[in-house]
């Protein structure tokens, strides 16, 4: 069973070495678990389940850790991992920029007061409206992801005030936890391959547009990368391209955005990307690769999403049914599932769970924690280790729930998306209310 330390470790990002729980996690008497000083069973009683809690201090600590580890770099939080106004405030206050990839993310962040200058707009299919909005709000940088986008954006921009852009390149480095998120190689929809000259051609066309100012290159290798090596390989490839650009155009590009993809531990003992190693090795390799080509070292940008928000989130579900199969399998069905967390069904992502709100001395057994949706594939956690006396009414807490769960949540079976709380210093405040059937009905405008 997952244990939770009662005292923080030297690394402020962890409650215990290898623990997936936020540093604030405290086991309380009676099987209760507190996050940010708020008891999970207590919160479940007050706000209902499924419930998502965001540990504000954990998120801020993680954001700050990036600033400290990479003081010379610009750290942009990837909003796609999870965005709401409070999160926009927290990352802005911690001095991060923001990576947005839709008019929705852009507008929500702008409405929350996030400075557009500190935003980077991504997307392989930006609509004309999105581009216009980005220019109107004066977004800091737009990442070019296709040749057709270059004249389209240039036509909207004005030469007197050129739009800063980055060109997204594919260094040919494969990394990431699943084929669906490996974006550093050719053969998928993003970016321009360096091999074969597509990236160089994109650079050529951008430089020919007076309305665009090429600030640098961008790459995003993939997600949930736990080794530094792929980033180093990408730097070598990109430095060679930067040298080629200088040779052809006489320009040295001032920025290099290495994207995100920094892996976290979802289960006890799993590897994660070591931020200190990443900072040290990437900085050194960039300096060395640039020195080799006689280039000035470009300013580094990074775009972590999961590593900032993932471990700050905890999901709480109530067990609605426990079924004992004839083959000895135990299924515990909870009141959420693939509608609030599609990651296990999409990528085979593995999680851990812990009984909260009740102490149990029963031996741990393997339990398949399944969702409530009408698909046999709606399995949240196969073979979770949970007490043999697990029963309806029990509460299960799942750590590392902050990234790509709520942001990918759906309206499947009209169950409604969960409420989101911020917890801090023993206080819980609701950030997003639960989605109800009234919300679904309100969207219907005809019959
Ligand atoms: N920058 C760009 C251009 C990206 O496309 C992404 C993620 C990030 C930064 C942030 O990556 P992170 O540090 O959060 O890994 N739904 C998948 C992950 C998709 C990631 C898409 N792009 C999952 O749940 O694992």
């Amino acid at each position: 069973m997952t244990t939770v330390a009662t005292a923080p470790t030297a690394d402020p990002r962890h409650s215990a070495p290898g623990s997936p729980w936020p540093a604030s996690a405290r086991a309380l008497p009676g099987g209760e678990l507190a996050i940010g000083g708020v008891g999970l069973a207590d919160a479940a009683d007050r706000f209902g389940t499924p419930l998502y809690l965001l540990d504000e201090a954990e998120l801020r600590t993680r954001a700050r850790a990036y600033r400290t580890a990479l003081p010379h770099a610009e750290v942009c939080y990837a909003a796609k991992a999870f965005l709401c106004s409070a999160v926009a405030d927290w990352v802005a206050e911690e001095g991060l920029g923001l990576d947005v990839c839709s008019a929705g993310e852009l507008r929500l962040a702008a409405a929350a007061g996030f400075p557009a200058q500190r935003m980077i707009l991504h997307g392989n299919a930006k609509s004309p409206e999105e581009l216009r909005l980005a220019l109107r709000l004066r977004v800091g940088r737009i990442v070019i992801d296709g040749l057709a986008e270059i004249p389209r954006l240039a036509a909207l921009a004005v030469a007197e005030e050129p739009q800063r852009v980055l060109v997204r390149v594919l260094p040919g480095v494969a990394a990431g936890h699943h084929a669906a998120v490996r974006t550093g190689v050719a053969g998928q929809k993003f970016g321009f391959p360096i091999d074969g000259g597509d990236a160089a051609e994109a650079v050529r066309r951008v430089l020919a547009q007076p309305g665009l100012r090429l600030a640098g290159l961008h790459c995003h290798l993939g997600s949930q990368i736990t080794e530094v090596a792929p980033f180093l390989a990408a730097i070598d490839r990109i430095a060679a391209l930067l040298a080629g650009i200088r040779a052809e155009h006489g320009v040295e590009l001032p920025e290099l955005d290495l994207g995100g993809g920094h892996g976290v531990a979802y289960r006890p003992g799993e590897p994660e990307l070591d931020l200190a190693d990443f900072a040290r090795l990437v900085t050194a390799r960039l300096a060395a690769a640039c020195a080799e080509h006689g280039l000035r070292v470009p300013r580094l940008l990074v775009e972590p999403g999961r590593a900032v928000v993932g471990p700050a989130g905890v999901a709480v579900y109530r067990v609605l049914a426990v079924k004992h199969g004839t083959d000895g399998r135990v299924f515990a069905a909870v009141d959420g599932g693939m509608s609030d967390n599609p990651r296990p069904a999409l990528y085979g992502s593995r999680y851990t769970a812990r009984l909260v709100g009740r102490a149990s001395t029963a031996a741990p057994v393997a339990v398949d924690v399944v969702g409530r949706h009408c698909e046999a594939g709606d399995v949240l956690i196969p073979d979770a280790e949970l007490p043999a006396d697990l029963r309806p009414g029990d509460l299960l807490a799942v750590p590392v729930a902050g990234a790509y769960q709520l942001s990918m949540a759906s309206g499947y079976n009209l169950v409604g998306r969960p409420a989101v709380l911020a917890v801090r210093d023993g206080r819980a405040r609701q950030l997003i209310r639960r989605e109800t059937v009234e919300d679904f009905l309100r969207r219907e405008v005809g019959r």
Side-chain angles (χ1 to χ4, degrees), residues 4 8 12-15 20-26 33-38 40 51-64 82 84 86-87 90-91 94 307-315 398-403 406 420-429 431:
V4 176
R13 296 175 306 150
H14 294 289
S15 54
W21 296 91
S24 72
R26 297 287 181 276
L33 179 67
I35 303 291
V38 173
L40 296 183
L51 184 65
Y52 277 68
L53 292 92
L54 279 180
D55 182 335
E56 180 179 342
E58 178 79 19
L59 189 147
R60 285 180 181 273
T61 302
R62 288 177 165 270
R64 215 170 296 151
F82 177 66
C84 65
V87 167
W90 301 341
V91 296
E94 296 303 333
V308 173
V309 73
V314 173
V398 177
V400 202
L406 294 167
V420 184
L421 306 184
V423 293
R424 178 185 172 168
D425 300 332
R427 291 208 336 269
R429 64 181 204 282
L431 300 179

Side-chain angles (χ1 to χ4, degrees), residues 66 76 78 80-81 99 122 168 177 180-181 183 190 218-220 222-225 257 259-263 266 303-307 343 346-347 349 351 403-405 407-408:
Y66 270 94
C76 296
K80 54 185 75 78
D99 145 4
H122 282 281
R168 180 164 179 167
H177 70 98
V181 302
T183 49
F190 293 106
H218 172 280
C219 79
H220 174 75
S223 254
Q224 189 56 6
I225 302 167
D257 186 334
H262 304 181
Y266 278 86
E303 303 170 337
R306 187 192 320 264
R343 300 191 68 259
L346 274 176
Y347 319 115
S349 306
Y351 287 82
Y404 303 108
Q405 295 184 203
S407 66
M408 294 172 74

Side-chain angles (χ1 to χ4, degrees), residues 69-413:
L70 292 160
H72 51 290
E74 201 167 319
V75 182
C76 296
Y77 169 68
K80 54 185 75 78
F82 177 66
L83 184 66
C84 65
S85 304
V87 167
D89 289 347
W90 301 341
V91 296
E93 284 163 17
E94 296 303 333
L96 272 56
L98 197 68
D99 145 4
V100 295
C101 67
S102 69
E105 291 177 358
L106 178 51
R107 290 185 57 190
L108 189 143
F114 200 100
Q117 262 307 312
R118 282 162 57 191
M119 293 190 208
I120 301 180
L121 177 66
H122 282 281
N124 67 307
K126 305 176 196 79
S127 71
E129 293 73 32
E130 280 169 329
L131 291 177
R132 263 195 290 273
L133 178 72
L135 288 168
R136 185 161 57 76
L137 295 179
R138 295 174 190 277
V139 159
R141 303 174 190 82
I142 298 179
V143 179
I144 301 287
D145 200 318
L147 287 181
E149 201 170 69
I150 299 168
R152 203 179 300 147
L153 182 60
L156 297 170
V158 286
E160 302 78 62
E161 239 179 296
Q163 171 65 45
R164 270 200 300 170
V165 300
L166 303 172
V167 166
R168 180 164 179 167
V169 304
L170 303 176
V173 177
H177 70 98
H178 190 278
V181 302
R182 283 180 212 126
T183 49
V185 281
Q188 46 80 43
K189 66 180 184 174
F190 293 106
F192 300 97
I194 294 179
D195 282 344
D198 287 12
E201 177 59 21
V203 165
R204 225 166 270 140
R205 295 198 192 182
V206 170
L207 288 173
Q209 294 288 355
L212 305 181
R213 201 174 93 225
L214 183 59
L217 303 179
H218 172 280
C219 79
H220 174 75
L221 302 180
S223 254
Q224 189 56 6
I225 302 167
T226 55
E227 305 280 336
V228 183
F231 296 101
L232 304 182
I235 286 172
D236 291 346
R237 300 296 321 278
I238 291 173
L241 176 60
L242 287 171
I245 292 168
R246 187 195 45 196
E248 183 179 344
H249 307 283
V251 294
E252 289 195 42
L253 300 181
E255 296 180 346
L256 170 58
D257 186 334
L258 274 188
H262 304 181
V264 303
Y266 278 86
R267 296 185 295 171
E270 278 182 359
E272 62 180 357
L273 186 79
D274 187 299
L275 178 55
D277 280 355
F278 175 87
R280 185 171 48 81
L281 297 170
V282 160
T283 305
R285 187 65 153 257
L286 186 56
C290 289
E292 195 182 306
H293 296 285
L295 290 163
R296 268 194 301 275
V297 179
R299 174 141 205 248
L300 183 68
L301 285 88
V302 290
E303 303 170 337
R306 187 192 320 264
V308 173
V309 73
V314 173
V316 185
Y317 301 98
R318 198 172 289 281
V319 175
L320 296 180
V322 177
K323 231 183 230 177
H324 295 266
T326 44
D327 56 355
R329 285 202 92 77
V330 183
F331 295 99
V334 298
D335 52 4
M338 67 197 302
S339 63
D340 65 272
N341 183 6
R343 300 191 68 259
L346 274 176
Y347 319 115
S349 306
R350 300 301 304 267
Y351 287 82
T352 181
R354 180 189 194 275
L355 174 68
V356 294
R358 171 172 81 81
S360 170
T361 51
V365 293
V367 175
D368 287 343
V369 177
V370 298
R372 55 160 304 151
H373 296 281
C374 300
E375 290 195 27
D378 181 23
V379 178
L380 279 177
I381 314 176
D383 290 326
E385 244 185 47
L386 289 165
D389 65 351
L390 193 71
R391 55 193 188 230
D394 279 343
L395 292 168
L396 296 181
V398 177
V400 202
Y404 303 108
Q405 295 184 203
L406 294 167
S407 66
M408 294 172 74
S410 74
Y412 193 25
N413 295 150

